[in-house]
């Protein structure tokens, strides 16, 4: 097939590489404009752009696709490129721009989206984070026929994936990216044979995965230990859960729920080679991996060697 691709981060690059390896003709890739990154704030191409250029695929980087929006010239140029590409389908994965109706209508077979959840659960921008934070037992990938709604289109292929007690957003991201890449190639193979069935999403079970706000990283120790432990994993590697102790804003990367103790939420219960035990609103949490400002992620015991902490101290802030 003639397949254009729209995506930006590493999650999307996996799918682009799979489509290229499967032998599809890819006349055009859409991705977000280069962004400043690193300490020098130099402009950096997205992972999808880097992959496209490595394969000699033309790249367009419109700031918007709305013909009546803030950047109509960008949208008009993208429209001309998409129409000239004579597309069978446009595959979309974590692109970052809303597709107006004219884009959805341009390819002969419409637009397919790779979504990292079991729709209709966790429609929206951060499905991996929210599934972990909520304590879901499963996540997965849905290949969806896009329509004008927010992740409301018909389901084409769905494959679940168990969430393990050790999974983080980082580990699930990589697994789901590979799964989505495989499924979208399967979907196009089925479509070519006329064997790709469409199933409307059920009306029940809809939930929304709102974009992660950095302010959410600040922990609220009045929450149960189980909820805080899930948040640590959900916010790993971004934005990282934070809380202030002994005057330092620490990042808290990993913990385990332990037996409760009678103390105010946020109170340090014990300091040991196994970690830092902290009281919560329900139960206690042993922090086992920490990071000081400007430092690296390390086992808690190593971090605590250079940080004066004793039982009875309390983490600051976090109440909401």
């Amino acid at each position: 097939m003639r397949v254009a691709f729209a995506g930006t981060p590493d999650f999307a690059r996996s799918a682009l590489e799979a489509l290229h390896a499967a032998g599809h003709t890819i006349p055009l890739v859409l991705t977000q404009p280069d962004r400043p990154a690193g300490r020098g704030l130099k402009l950096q191409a997205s992972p999808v752009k880097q992959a496209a250029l490595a394969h000699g695929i033309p790249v367009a980087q419109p700031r918007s696709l709305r013909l009546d929006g803030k950047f109509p010239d960008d949208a008009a140029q993208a429209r001309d490129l998409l129409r000239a590409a004579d597309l069978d389908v446009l595959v979309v994965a974590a692109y970052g721009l809303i597709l107006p109706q004219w884009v959805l209508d341009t390819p002969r077979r419409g637009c397919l989206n790779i979504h990292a959840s079991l729709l209709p659960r966790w429609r929206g921008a951060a499905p991996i984070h929210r599934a972990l934070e909520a304590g879901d037992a499963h996540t997965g990938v849905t290949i969806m026929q896009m329509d004008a709604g927010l992740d409301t289109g018909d389901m084409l292929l769905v494959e679940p994936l168990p969430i393990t007690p050790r999974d983080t957003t980082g580990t699930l991201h990589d697994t789901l990216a590979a799964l989505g890449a495989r499924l979208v190639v399967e979907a196009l193979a089925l479509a070519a044979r006329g064997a790709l069935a469409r199933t409307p999403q059920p009306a029940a079970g809809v939930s929304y995965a709102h974009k992660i706000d950095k302010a959410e990283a600040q922990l609220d120790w009045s929450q149960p230990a189980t909820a805080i432990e899930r948040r640590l994993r959900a916010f790993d590697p971004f934005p990282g859960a934070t809380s202030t102790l002994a005057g330092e804003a620490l990042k808290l990367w990993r913990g385990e729920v332990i037996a409760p103790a009678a103390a105010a939420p946020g109170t340090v219960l014990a300091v040991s080679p196994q970690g830092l035990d902290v009281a919560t609103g329900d139960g206690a949490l042993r922090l086992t991996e920490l990071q000081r400002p400007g430092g690296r992620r390390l086992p808690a015991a190593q971090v605590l060697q250079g940080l004066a902490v004793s039982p009875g101290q309390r983490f600051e802030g976090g109440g909401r």
Side-chain angles (χ1 to χ4, degrees):
M1 289 189 181
R2 292 183 62 81
V3 183
F5 186 82
T8 299
D10 275 317
F11 181 89
R13 174 166 56 183
S14 298
L16 176 59
E17 294 283 7
L19 292 168
H20 181 268
H24 294 287
T25 299
I26 307 175
L28 180 66
V29 162
L30 301 178
T31 191
Q32 289 275 335
D34 297 358
R35 306 290 190 199
R39 292 186 177 181
L41 294 179
K42 295 182 179 180
L43 289 179
Q44 182 171 316
S46 72
V48 163
K49 180 179 179 179
Q50 294 175 40
L53 294 179
H55 293 302
I57 302 170
V59 175
Q61 298 175 270
R63 290 166 290 181
S64 170
L65 293 171
R66 292 188 53 173
L67 295 168
D68 59 350
K70 187 176 179 181
F71 304 104
D73 291 344
D74 284 29
Q77 183 182 39
R79 177 193 58 192
D80 294 344
L81 290 170
L82 285 168
R83 288 178 175 175
D86 188 31
L87 298 174
D88 291 307
V89 67
L90 171 65
V91 172
V92 183
Y95 178 31
L97 290 183
I98 294 174
L99 303 191
Q101 192 63 46
W102 72 261
V103 177
L104 301 177
D105 294 340
T106 296
R108 283 180 285 275
R109 296 177 183 266
C111 302
L112 305 189
N113 179 248
I114 305 169
H115 189 74
S117 82
L118 301 176
L119 291 171
R121 186 157 177 79
W122 302 127
R123 295 173 178 171
I128 303 175
H129 296 79
R130 300 307 183 190
L132 275 168
E133 188 179 21
D136 289 1
H138 291 81
T139 183
V141 168
T142 303
I143 306 298
M144 176 188 64
Q145 186 80 42
M146 297 181 71
D147 61 15
L150 176 61
D151 299 328
T152 55
D154 291 347
M155 300 179 294
L156 305 173
L157 289 179
V158 180
E159 186 164 324
L161 177 75
I163 297 177
T164 75
R166 300 291 289 176
D167 269 323
T168 66
T169 288
T171 61
L172 283 179
H173 169 282
D174 294 348
T175 304
L176 291 170
L179 176 57
R182 174 172 62 79
L183 282 185
V184 78
V185 171
E186 290 180 15
L188 293 184
L190 289 169
R193 303 197 304 267
L196 189 61
R198 296 173 58 154
T199 302
Q201 294 186 34
V206 175
S207 59
Y208 289 91
H210 299 289
K211 184 178 180 181
I212 299 297
D213 188 323
K214 285 188 177 181
E216 296 181 73
Q218 184 70 32
L219 289 181
D220 179 358
W221 291 99
S222 68
Q223 291 186 337
T226 52
I228 295 174
E229 188 274 337
R230 292 197 304 263
R231 178 163 286 203
L232 299 189
R233 292 187 290 117
F235 286 13
D236 180 359
F238 175 83
T242 62
S243 196
T244 300
L245 179 66
E248 287 199 26
L250 301 175
K251 284 200 171 183
L252 317 178
W253 292 111
R254 193 170 291 278
E256 55 190 46
V257 177
I258 58 174
T267 301
V268 175
L269 301 171
V271 181
S272 72
Q274 288 71 45
L276 185 66
D277 297 355
V278 185
T280 73
D282 183 6
L285 190 70
R286 174 169 292 159
L287 299 172
T288 58
E289 188 175 339
L290 306 172
Q291 182 176 0
R292 298 181 70 177
R296 297 182 294 116
R297 295 173 57 156
L298 293 169
Q302 293 184 39
V303 174
L304 294 171
Q305 289 175 3
L307 185 65
V309 179
S310 57
Q313 289 181 274
R314 289 187 67 185
F315 279 90
E316 303 170 16
R320 288 187 292 174

